Short mmCIF file of all heavy atoms in Angstrom, two decimals:
data_model
loop_
_atom_site.label_atom_id
_atom_site.label_comp_id
_atom_site.label_asym_id
_atom_site.label_seq_id
_atom_site.Cartn_x
_atom_site.Cartn_y
_atom_site.Cartn_z
N ALA D 14 0.85 -1.19 0.02
CA ALA D 14 -0.02 0.05 0.05
C ALA D 14 0.87 1.24 -0.02
O ALA D 14 1.84 1.33 0.71
CB ALA D 14 -0.89 0.01 1.19
N LEU D 15 0.43 2.23 -0.84
CA LEU D 15 1.11 3.52 -0.86
C LEU D 15 0.09 4.62 -0.69
O LEU D 15 -1.01 4.54 -1.17
CB LEU D 15 1.87 3.67 -2.20
CG LEU D 15 2.89 2.70 -2.66
CD1 LEU D 15 3.41 3.01 -4.06
CD2 LEU D 15 4.06 2.71 -1.60
N ARG D 16 0.49 5.64 -0.03
CA ARG D 16 -0.40 6.84 0.20
C ARG D 16 -0.63 7.56 -1.14
O ARG D 16 -1.67 8.16 -1.45
CB ARG D 16 0.12 7.76 1.24
CG ARG D 16 -0.68 8.97 1.57
CD ARG D 16 -0.02 9.80 2.61
NE ARG D 16 -0.64 11.03 2.78
CZ ARG D 16 -0.12 12.05 3.49
NH1 ARG D 16 1.06 11.93 4.05
NH2 ARG D 16 -0.79 13.18 3.67
N MET D 17 0.39 7.51 -2.01
CA MET D 17 0.41 8.18 -3.30
C MET D 17 1.30 7.36 -4.24
O MET D 17 2.26 6.70 -3.70
CB MET D 17 0.65 9.67 -3.23
CG MET D 17 2.00 9.99 -2.59
SD MET D 17 2.19 11.77 -2.49
CE MET D 17 3.51 11.81 -1.25
N PRO D 18 1.16 7.43 -5.55
CA PRO D 18 1.99 6.64 -6.42
C PRO D 18 3.41 7.17 -6.54
O PRO D 18 3.71 7.67 -7.66
CB PRO D 18 1.19 6.61 -7.78
CG PRO D 18 0.44 7.93 -7.74
CD PRO D 18 0.04 8.12 -6.26
N VAL D 19 4.16 7.16 -5.53
CA VAL D 19 5.52 7.63 -5.54
C VAL D 19 6.40 6.73 -4.84
O VAL D 19 6.06 6.19 -3.76
CB VAL D 19 5.57 9.13 -4.88
CG1 VAL D 19 7.01 9.60 -4.78
CG2 VAL D 19 4.72 10.10 -5.63
N VAL D 20 7.59 6.56 -5.31
CA VAL D 20 8.69 5.79 -4.68
C VAL D 20 9.94 6.69 -4.68
O VAL D 20 10.19 7.43 -5.61
CB VAL D 20 8.96 4.43 -5.21
CG1 VAL D 20 7.73 3.51 -5.09
CG2 VAL D 20 9.38 4.53 -6.65
N LEU D 21 10.86 6.48 -3.69
CA LEU D 21 12.08 7.26 -3.58
C LEU D 21 13.17 6.28 -4.04
O LEU D 21 13.41 5.18 -3.61
CB LEU D 21 12.39 7.71 -2.22
CG LEU D 21 11.32 8.60 -1.54
CD1 LEU D 21 11.75 9.00 -0.18
CD2 LEU D 21 11.05 9.83 -2.41
N ALA D 22 13.88 6.75 -5.13
CA ALA D 22 14.94 5.95 -5.80
C ALA D 22 16.14 5.87 -4.88
O ALA D 22 16.36 6.68 -4.01
CB ALA D 22 15.36 6.60 -7.12
N PRO D 23 16.92 4.83 -5.07
CA PRO D 23 18.11 4.64 -4.20
C PRO D 23 19.24 5.70 -4.58
O PRO D 23 19.39 5.94 -5.77
CB PRO D 23 18.62 3.23 -4.58
CG PRO D 23 18.08 3.05 -5.92
CD PRO D 23 16.79 3.64 -5.97
N ILE D 24 19.83 6.24 -3.59
CA ILE D 24 20.90 7.22 -3.82
C ILE D 24 22.16 6.80 -3.02
O ILE D 24 22.02 6.57 -1.73
CB ILE D 24 20.50 8.67 -3.47
CG1 ILE D 24 19.29 9.11 -4.23
CG2 ILE D 24 21.65 9.68 -3.55
CD1 ILE D 24 18.76 10.55 -3.82
N GLY D 25 23.30 6.72 -3.66
CA GLY D 25 24.49 6.35 -2.88
C GLY D 25 25.08 7.48 -2.13
O GLY D 25 24.86 8.65 -2.48
N GLY D 26 25.77 7.20 -1.15
CA GLY D 26 26.55 8.17 -0.40
C GLY D 26 25.71 9.16 0.36
O GLY D 26 26.13 10.38 0.49
N LEU D 27 24.60 8.86 0.82
CA LEU D 27 23.73 9.79 1.57
C LEU D 27 24.35 10.37 2.81
O LEU D 27 23.93 11.40 3.22
CB LEU D 27 22.28 9.18 1.89
CG LEU D 27 21.39 8.87 0.74
CD1 LEU D 27 20.24 8.01 1.15
CD2 LEU D 27 20.89 10.32 0.21
N GLN D 28 25.31 9.70 3.38
CA GLN D 28 25.99 10.14 4.52
C GLN D 28 26.71 11.41 4.28
O GLN D 28 27.16 12.14 5.23
CB GLN D 28 26.99 9.04 5.10
CG GLN D 28 28.11 8.65 4.18
CD GLN D 28 27.70 7.58 3.22
OE1 GLN D 28 26.49 7.22 3.04
NE2 GLN D 28 28.72 6.97 2.62
N ARG D 29 26.96 11.75 2.99
CA ARG D 29 27.67 12.98 2.65
C ARG D 29 26.64 14.10 2.68
O ARG D 29 27.06 15.27 2.60
CB ARG D 29 28.32 12.85 1.26
CG ARG D 29 29.43 11.84 1.25
CD ARG D 29 29.97 11.77 -0.26
NE ARG D 29 31.12 10.91 -0.34
CZ ARG D 29 32.38 11.32 -0.10
NH1 ARG D 29 32.66 12.64 0.13
NH2 ARG D 29 33.43 10.50 -0.16
N MET D 30 25.48 13.83 2.67
CA MET D 30 24.42 14.88 2.53
C MET D 30 23.51 15.12 3.73
O MET D 30 22.99 16.14 3.91
CB MET D 30 23.52 14.50 1.32
CG MET D 30 24.39 14.37 0.06
SD MET D 30 23.44 13.34 -1.16
CE MET D 30 24.81 12.71 -2.17
N THR D 31 23.44 14.16 4.58
CA THR D 31 22.64 14.31 5.73
C THR D 31 23.24 13.42 7.00
O THR D 31 23.74 12.32 6.62
CB THR D 31 21.12 13.96 5.55
OG1 THR D 31 20.40 14.09 6.69
CG2 THR D 31 20.97 12.56 4.97
N LYS D 32 23.14 13.93 8.10
CA LYS D 32 23.74 13.28 9.26
C LYS D 32 23.40 11.78 9.37
O LYS D 32 24.24 10.94 9.61
CB LYS D 32 23.50 14.06 10.49
CG LYS D 32 24.14 13.43 11.78
CD LYS D 32 23.83 14.22 13.01
CE LYS D 32 24.37 13.60 14.23
NZ LYS D 32 24.00 14.31 15.42
N ASN D 33 22.10 11.49 9.33
CA ASN D 33 21.66 10.16 9.53
C ASN D 33 21.54 9.30 8.31
O ASN D 33 20.94 8.19 8.22
CB ASN D 33 20.27 10.23 10.22
CG ASN D 33 20.38 10.76 11.67
OD1 ASN D 33 21.31 10.42 12.36
ND2 ASN D 33 19.46 11.67 12.02
N ALA D 34 22.08 9.85 7.19
CA ALA D 34 22.19 9.16 5.94
C ALA D 34 20.88 8.54 5.45
O ALA D 34 19.78 9.23 5.46
CB ALA D 34 23.26 8.13 5.97
N ALA D 35 20.82 7.28 5.14
CA ALA D 35 19.61 6.63 4.58
C ALA D 35 18.44 6.58 5.52
O ALA D 35 17.29 6.59 5.23
CB ALA D 35 19.92 5.21 4.14
N ASN D 36 18.73 6.71 6.84
CA ASN D 36 17.70 6.69 7.88
C ASN D 36 16.81 7.95 7.70
O ASN D 36 15.60 7.86 8.05
CB ASN D 36 18.28 6.59 9.29
CG ASN D 36 18.68 5.22 9.60
OD1 ASN D 36 18.34 4.18 8.93
ND2 ASN D 36 19.33 4.94 10.73
N ASP D 37 17.37 9.13 7.44
CA ASP D 37 16.56 10.29 7.23
C ASP D 37 15.61 10.11 6.09
O ASP D 37 14.47 10.53 6.21
CB ASP D 37 17.50 11.50 6.99
CG ASP D 37 18.17 12.05 8.26
OD1 ASP D 37 17.56 11.71 9.39
OD2 ASP D 37 19.13 12.88 8.23
N VAL D 38 16.07 9.55 5.02
CA VAL D 38 15.24 9.33 3.84
C VAL D 38 14.11 8.30 4.19
O VAL D 38 12.96 8.46 3.82
CB VAL D 38 16.07 8.86 2.64
CG1 VAL D 38 15.17 8.53 1.44
CG2 VAL D 38 17.10 9.89 2.21
N ASP D 39 14.55 7.29 4.94
CA ASP D 39 13.69 6.22 5.29
C ASP D 39 12.54 6.92 6.24
O ASP D 39 11.30 6.49 6.05
CB ASP D 39 14.27 5.17 6.01
CG ASP D 39 13.42 3.97 6.45
OD1 ASP D 39 12.85 3.36 5.54
OD2 ASP D 39 13.28 3.76 7.57
N THR D 40 12.96 7.69 7.19
CA THR D 40 11.94 8.32 8.03
C THR D 40 10.97 9.16 7.28
O THR D 40 9.67 9.18 7.46
CB THR D 40 12.65 9.17 9.13
OG1 THR D 40 13.51 8.28 9.89
CG2 THR D 40 11.63 9.86 10.06
N ALA D 41 11.52 9.86 6.25
CA ALA D 41 10.58 10.78 5.48
C ALA D 41 9.66 9.86 4.65
O ALA D 41 8.49 10.32 4.46
CB ALA D 41 11.46 11.57 4.51
N ALA D 42 10.07 8.83 4.07
CA ALA D 42 9.22 7.93 3.30
C ALA D 42 8.11 7.33 4.14
O ALA D 42 6.96 7.32 3.70
CB ALA D 42 10.10 6.79 2.73
N GLU D 43 8.41 6.97 5.37
CA GLU D 43 7.36 6.33 6.22
C GLU D 43 6.36 7.53 6.48
O GLU D 43 5.15 7.24 6.53
CB GLU D 43 8.01 5.92 7.50
CG GLU D 43 6.88 5.26 8.42
CD GLU D 43 7.49 4.87 9.80
OE1 GLU D 43 8.45 5.54 10.22
OE2 GLU D 43 6.98 3.94 10.37
N ALA D 44 6.81 8.73 6.89
CA ALA D 44 5.91 9.89 7.17
C ALA D 44 5.01 10.17 6.02
O ALA D 44 3.86 10.53 6.17
CB ALA D 44 6.73 11.03 7.59
N CYS D 45 5.52 10.00 4.83
CA CYS D 45 4.69 10.30 3.61
C CYS D 45 3.86 9.12 3.10
O CYS D 45 3.00 9.25 2.18
CB CYS D 45 5.59 10.71 2.49
SG CYS D 45 6.34 12.41 2.71
N GLY D 46 4.07 8.01 3.70
CA GLY D 46 3.31 6.79 3.30
C GLY D 46 3.68 6.20 1.98
O GLY D 46 2.84 5.60 1.30
N ILE D 47 4.99 6.39 1.64
CA ILE D 47 5.49 5.82 0.33
C ILE D 47 6.57 4.91 0.54
O ILE D 47 7.04 4.63 1.75
CB ILE D 47 5.95 7.06 -0.62
CG1 ILE D 47 7.10 7.83 0.10
CG2 ILE D 47 4.78 7.96 -0.94
CD1 ILE D 47 7.66 8.90 -0.80
N MET D 48 7.14 4.35 -0.51
CA MET D 48 8.20 3.31 -0.44
C MET D 48 9.54 3.94 -0.82
O MET D 48 9.66 4.85 -1.70
CB MET D 48 7.82 2.15 -1.34
CG MET D 48 8.86 1.01 -1.31
SD MET D 48 8.39 -0.33 -2.33
CE MET D 48 6.94 -0.96 -1.58
N ASN D 49 10.53 3.49 -0.16
CA ASN D 49 11.99 3.98 -0.54
C ASN D 49 12.83 2.77 -0.86
O ASN D 49 12.66 1.68 -0.31
CB ASN D 49 12.51 4.81 0.61
CG ASN D 49 12.58 4.17 1.99
OD1 ASN D 49 11.59 3.59 2.34
ND2 ASN D 49 13.69 4.14 2.58
N PHE D 50 13.73 3.01 -1.75
CA PHE D 50 14.75 2.01 -2.16
C PHE D 50 16.06 2.36 -1.50
O PHE D 50 16.51 3.53 -1.62
CB PHE D 50 14.93 1.98 -3.63
CG PHE D 50 13.79 1.24 -4.38
CD1 PHE D 50 12.41 1.70 -4.24
CD2 PHE D 50 14.01 0.21 -5.22
CE1 PHE D 50 11.40 1.07 -4.90
CE2 PHE D 50 12.96 -0.41 -5.89
CZ PHE D 50 11.60 -0.01 -5.72
N ILE D 51 16.71 1.44 -0.80
CA ILE D 51 18.02 1.72 -0.17
C ILE D 51 19.14 1.26 -0.99
O ILE D 51 19.21 0.11 -1.43
CB ILE D 51 18.01 0.89 1.22
CG1 ILE D 51 16.74 1.16 1.91
CG2 ILE D 51 19.28 1.26 2.02
CD1 ILE D 51 16.42 2.56 2.36
N SER D 52 20.11 2.12 -1.15
CA SER D 52 21.23 1.84 -2.02
C SER D 52 22.26 0.97 -1.33
O SER D 52 22.49 1.08 -0.11
CB SER D 52 22.00 3.14 -2.52
OG SER D 52 23.18 2.93 -3.12
N THR D 53 22.85 0.12 -2.14
CA THR D 53 23.98 -0.74 -1.62
C THR D 53 25.10 0.20 -1.07
O THR D 53 25.86 -0.23 -0.16
CB THR D 53 24.51 -1.66 -2.69
OG1 THR D 53 23.51 -2.45 -3.28
CG2 THR D 53 25.59 -2.58 -2.16
N VAL D 54 25.33 1.32 -1.75
CA VAL D 54 26.46 2.09 -1.48
C VAL D 54 26.11 3.31 -0.67
O VAL D 54 26.55 4.45 -0.94
CB VAL D 54 27.22 2.45 -2.72
CG1 VAL D 54 27.96 1.25 -3.26
CG2 VAL D 54 26.31 3.10 -3.74
N THR D 55 25.32 3.17 0.41
CA THR D 55 25.10 4.25 1.32
C THR D 55 25.14 3.73 2.79
O THR D 55 25.02 2.49 2.98
CB THR D 55 23.76 4.88 1.06
OG1 THR D 55 23.56 6.21 1.69
CG2 THR D 55 22.58 4.04 1.45
N GLU D 56 25.28 4.61 3.69
CA GLU D 56 25.15 4.20 5.09
C GLU D 56 23.80 4.50 5.67
O GLU D 56 23.03 5.32 5.12
CB GLU D 56 26.30 4.98 5.87
CG GLU D 56 27.67 4.58 5.41
CD GLU D 56 28.72 5.38 6.19
OE1 GLU D 56 28.38 6.21 7.00
OE2 GLU D 56 29.96 5.21 5.90
N PRO D 57 23.45 3.97 6.90
CA PRO D 57 24.17 2.93 7.66
C PRO D 57 23.95 1.55 7.08
O PRO D 57 23.65 1.40 5.90
CB PRO D 57 23.48 3.03 8.96
CG PRO D 57 22.11 3.58 8.72
CD PRO D 57 22.21 4.43 7.53
N SER D 58 24.05 0.55 7.90
CA SER D 58 24.02 -0.86 7.47
C SER D 58 22.68 -1.28 7.03
O SER D 58 21.61 -0.62 7.24
CB SER D 58 24.59 -1.78 8.50
OG SER D 58 23.59 -1.89 9.54
N ILE D 59 22.60 -2.40 6.32
CA ILE D 59 21.34 -3.07 5.87
C ILE D 59 20.44 -3.12 7.07
O ILE D 59 19.21 -2.75 7.09
CB ILE D 59 21.65 -4.41 5.25
CG1 ILE D 59 22.29 -4.26 3.94
CG2 ILE D 59 20.36 -5.20 5.10
CD1 ILE D 59 22.79 -5.61 3.40
N GLU D 60 20.93 -3.70 8.20
CA GLU D 60 20.16 -3.98 9.34
C GLU D 60 19.69 -2.64 10.09
O GLU D 60 18.58 -2.53 10.60
CB GLU D 60 20.93 -4.83 10.33
CG GLU D 60 21.24 -6.23 9.83
CD GLU D 60 22.31 -6.30 8.85
OE1 GLU D 60 23.06 -5.34 8.67
OE2 GLU D 60 22.55 -7.43 8.29
N ASP D 61 20.54 -1.64 10.07
CA ASP D 61 20.12 -0.35 10.80
C ASP D 61 19.08 0.30 10.04
O ASP D 61 18.18 0.89 10.67
CB ASP D 61 21.40 0.50 10.84
CG ASP D 61 22.46 0.03 11.91
OD1 ASP D 61 22.09 -0.72 12.74
OD2 ASP D 61 23.61 0.50 11.75
#
């Protein structure tokens, strides 16, 4: 389920752009009710 037909594409190196890296994008995606793709080449870890 998506709140709107939007997904966030994976972006590498997010730790260079925001302190919490992919977690910031993930938090935003959850707040918007959409899906995000996590890049292999960004931090933090898969599990985090």
Side-chain angles (χ1 to χ4, degrees):
L15 301 177
R16 183 180 171 191
M17 52 186 166
V19 174
V20 297
L21 300 183
I24 300 177
L27 285 170
Q28 64 274 12
R29 294 177 174 272
M30 303 160 204
T31 178
K32 179 181 178 181
N33 295 317
N36 279 348
D37 279 343
V38 176
D39 184 61
T40 298
E43 181 186 30
C45 291
I47 59 178
M48 184 181 293
N49 55 312
F50 286 56
I51 311 301
S52 171
T53 305
V54 289
T55 194
E56 296 178 359
S58 70
I59 292 172
E60 293 78 11
D61 286 343

